[in-house]
Amino acid sequence: MTKKYEQFDNFFTGFKKLNIKDKEFIQFRMNNILKTTEFSSNHCFGVLNSMSNIATQYGIDLYNSNILEIGSGKYSLLTGLYWKYMNVKKYIGIDKFCNPFLSKDWEEMYKSKINLLPRILGNKDLYEILDNDSWNKLNEFIEIYKDDFLNIKLKENTFDFVYSSAVFEHIEKPEDTISALYNVLKPGGLTYHNIDLRPHSAHKQNPIDILRYSTTDWKAKTLNSYNWQYLNRLRSSDWIELFETNGFEILDVKIRKFEEVSTDDIYNHIDDEFKGYSLDVLNNAIVNITARKI
């Protein structure tokens, strides 16, 4: 095991060894810092561990690499710190709806509270990163933006690895996004995306809830419903085609089916524009795409 993985593993090993009370205390404190109940160290670690494994599997040397996360969410800073802990050169997180936690408004809160975590874990390296005197150094290797990915002017051929998790189903300009993604990746750079094709509603087990609407009706529903989550309704075959037509080499596609498998009867319940998809494609609930810039 290399040094960077030893450091990353030891950080969470220390967390796991704490008693339940101390773990809950840390979770409580971190939730207060991030102003969200969504944060979960297990989830954050799980996603990052999966991403680092995928990058390594396809020959990306994370040491001194540039990482971009699209839709980095409310725990962008912690994600960046965890990547830094693996000795990446730069982490950039972009999220359209979540506040950037490196803003001045958050600086004092981080300075006063976030160092509680490494102190309890007894981890000197991370404490040094989070030490009050080192605050400005965070900007050297972590950048977080609250904006649409397409609005951020990133240099071409910059990133070694770009990823997202349950984000692309929400983007309003899929074609432009994939094209821009290709531009910012280095030649040979890797990209991975988990795309959730299911209805984002109480009933997520078959696609009828979102495919029964025409494009016009779907736009009206999106505009007129309070707090409605926009879904572009692209299916797995659409995403694969988008990556291929923009010059990517598809390295791997993993599919998860709906729990309620539809039969031919589904064609009696969906809008005409979706009737051209095969039954197999309509039954795809989640698609995970790994691709490389040629």
Side-chain angles (χ1 to χ4, degrees):
M1 183 179 289
T2 62
K3 182 63 176 175
K4 59 179 179 291
Y5 288 109
E6 285 177 358
Q7 289 178 331
F8 193 49
D9 183 64
N10 288 342
F11 178 83
F12 288 97
T13 299
F15 180 83
K16 291 174 184 177
K17 289 180 179 178
L18 295 175
N19 60 46
I20 294 297
K21 186 176 181 181
D22 286 341
K23 285 181 180 177
E24 289 177 347
F25 178 68
I26 291 175
Q27 294 274 10
F28 171 76
R29 282 286 191 163
M30 298 309 287
N31 283 336
N32 282 347
I33 291 171
L34 300 182
K35 297 289 187 181
T36 177
T37 57
E38 288 185 17
F39 174 74
S40 159
S41 62
N42 288 332
H43 171 75
C44 201
F45 172 67
V47 170
L48 284 165
N49 192 44
S50 296
M51 295 303 100
S52 63
N53 287 339
I54 289 169
T56 303
Q57 176 186 349
Y58 289 99
I60 301 298
D61 183 4
L62 292 175
Y63 179 78
N64 211 32
S65 61
N66 294 316
I67 308 293
L68 170 63
E69 181 178 9
I70 301 174
S72 51
K74 297 176 182 176
Y75 32 81
S76 305
L77 177 57
L78 288 180
T79 302
L81 289 172
Y82 291 163
W83 276 119
K84 180 58 183 174
Y85 213 58
M86 300 183 74
N87 292 319
V88 304
K89 180 180 179 181
K90 187 86 171 183
Y91 166 81
I92 294 182
I94 301 174
D95 197 285
K96 187 175 181 179
F97 300 104
C98 297
N99 287 318
F101 294 124
L102 291 183
S103 66
K104 287 292 181 183
D105 294 339
W106 289 88
E107 183 171 340
E108 291 305 317
M109 182 177 292
Y110 276 116
K111 282 184 177 181
S112 63
K113 293 182 179 179
I114 202 170
N115 58 16
L116 173 71
L117 180 61
R119 279 179 175 173
I120 289 178
L121 296 179
N123 190 305
K124 269 190 172 180
D125 290 337
L126 190 58
Y127 175 74
E128 289 172 2
I129 291 175
L130 296 174
D131 184 85
N132 292 354
D133 295 334
S134 301
W135 175 262
N136 291 330
K137 294 181 181 179
L138 289 176
N139 290 302
E140 296 176 9
F141 53 82
I142 299 176
E143 293 179 19
I144 300 171
Y145 299 93
K146 181 185 178 183
D147 209 333
D148 191 295
F149 167 59
L150 292 174
N151 294 335
I152 305 296
K153 304 303 180 183
L154 300 169
K155 291 183 179 179
E156 294 187 2
N157 305 314
T158 295
F159 296 97
D160 301 276
F161 184 43
V162 180
Y163 71 95
S164 71
S165 181
V167 172
F168 273 22
E169 66 268 20
H170 297 292
I171 59 177
E172 298 180 35
K173 297 179 179 180
E175 297 86 354
D176 293 344
T177 297
I178 302 301
S179 176
L181 170 60
Y182 185 90
N183 290 335
V184 300
L185 268 175
K186 293 179 181 178
L190 189 73
T191 191
Y192 171 87
H193 302 278
N194 164 277
I195 308 171
D196 190 344
L197 311 175
R198 299 173 295 179
H200 286 38
S201 58
H203 188 68
K204 301 179 69 171
Q205 302 313 320
N206 70 64
I208 293 176
D209 279 0
I210 58 174
L211 301 187
R212 57 195 173 99
Y213 298 97
S214 67
T215 296
T216 300
D217 290 343
W218 183 250
K219 286 182 178 179
K221 184 175 179 64
T222 301
L223 291 173
N224 297 328
S225 299
Y226 175 73
N227 204 28
W228 181 259
Q229 285 187 306
Y230 174 79
L231 295 172
N232 51 49
R233 301 193 297 172
L234 295 184
R235 312 324 292 162
S236 58
S237 56
D238 298 320
W239 287 111
I240 293 169
E241 182 179 356
L242 273 177
F243 278 94
E244 289 179 334
T245 55
N246 278 279
F248 284 97
E249 175 191 4
I250 302 292
L251 301 177
D252 186 53
V253 176
K254 287 186 170 59
I255 298 290
R256 175 178 159 188
K257 297 291 186 180
F258 280 99
E259 291 184 17
E260 295 179 6
V261 178
S262 299
T263 64
D264 286 336
D265 183 60
I266 191 175
Y267 292 105
N268 297 321
H269 302 283
I270 60 177
D271 189 75
D272 287 346
E273 67 180 277
F274 296 104
K275 291 181 179 180
Y277 292 98
S278 69
L279 186 61
D280 183 59
V281 167
L282 291 175
N283 276 313
N284 292 341
I286 297 174
V287 57
N288 300 310
I289 298 175
T290 307
R292 190 187 303 279
K293 177 175 178 176
I294 301 174

